Structures are given as structure tokens and as C-alpha cells.
Amino acid sequence: MILQTSDIKDIGKLIETDKLEMTYNTPGWYVLYVLFMVMVIFVLYRLISNWKNNKYRRDAIIRIKKANTIYEVNVTLKIVALKSYGRTDVANLSSEAWVEFLNSKSKV
């Protein structure tokens, strides 16, 4: 059915609702705010923790850039491998076994 303009006049006066105020005073917003803050604190904690745990890598990069000989680079790689893979797996490696270990752990 199609309404004509004369039909609309017969509807009568429109009843409007009172204005609704938008406030953030409900408990749900406080819960959401607390959850958001906990998430932000957790992410910051993880970022700082990862940054601290990777200090040996940053130090190794600096040492390798300053290295004058292959021996110094090899010692730095051994220190990083000891930190990353543990003393039991790395400490007894030398010559060919050390090279094979480096090749197996490096990305091509």
C-alpha cells in the first residue's frame, strides 16, 4: 500500500522521546577499562622482557662489528651459542663439529 500525503496528515502528532544522555558510568565500562589496562601492562611487560633477554644478541652484533680477526668472530659466535643452546650442547664442539653445528642452526 502506498501512503499519500493526505494519509500522513491523519497520523497525528508525533511523540518524541526525551534526550538520552551518553555517559560511561555503567560498570561494564569500568570492567572494559580494567581489562584494557591489564592487556596494555602485559604487552609492555613482554616487550621489555624480550628486550632484556635479547641484550646478548645486541652485544654480539657490536662485538662482531668491532672484530678484527676471524678468531674474535668465532669466540663471539661461541658465546652466543652457549647462551642460546646451553653449555652441554655447545661447549665440547670444535673444528668440524663446530662448523656443522653453526651450519645446522643458521638460516640459508
Side-chain angles (χ1 to χ4, degrees), residues 2-70:
I2 299 174
L3 292 176
Q4 302 294 327
T5 54
S6 61
D7 295 335
I8 294 175
K9 291 178 184 174
D10 295 338
I11 290 178
K13 185 178 176 185
L14 292 175
I15 301 171
E16 294 184 15
T17 60
D18 295 333
K19 281 191 169 184
L20 296 175
E21 293 185 24
M22 281 296 293
T23 60
Y24 296 104
N25 294 334
T26 57
W29 286 108
Y30 294 122
V31 171
L32 189 64
Y33 176 72
V34 168
L35 288 175
F36 178 74
M37 291 307 295
V38 168
M39 185 176 64
V40 166
I41 290 169
F42 177 74
V43 168
L44 286 174
Y45 171 77
R46 290 297 304 243
L47 288 172
I48 291 170
S49 176
N50 286 341
W51 183 77
K52 284 182 179 180
N53 289 340
N54 288 326
K55 183 177 182 341
Y56 75 97
R57 292 180 183 175
R58 291 189 302 274
D59 293 343
I61 290 171
I62 292 170
R63 283 182 65 161
I64 287 175
K65 286 181 180 178
K66 291 180 180 179
N68 294 326
T69 63
I70 298 292

Side-chain angles (χ1 to χ4, degrees), residues 69-85:
T69 63
I70 298 292
Y71 176 76
E72 292 172 356
V73 172
N74 196 27
V75 168
T76 304
L77 289 176
K78 190 80 158 192
I79 292 169
V80 170
L82 285 169
K83 176 79 173 165
S84 299
Y85 299 105

Side-chain angles (χ1 to χ4, degrees), residues 78 87-95 97-102:
K78 190 80 158 192
R87 187 167 298 278
T88 57
D89 295 336
V90 178
N92 60 353
L93 297 176
S94 62
S95 63
W98 172 241
V99 173
E100 288 176 16
F101 176 80
L102 287 177

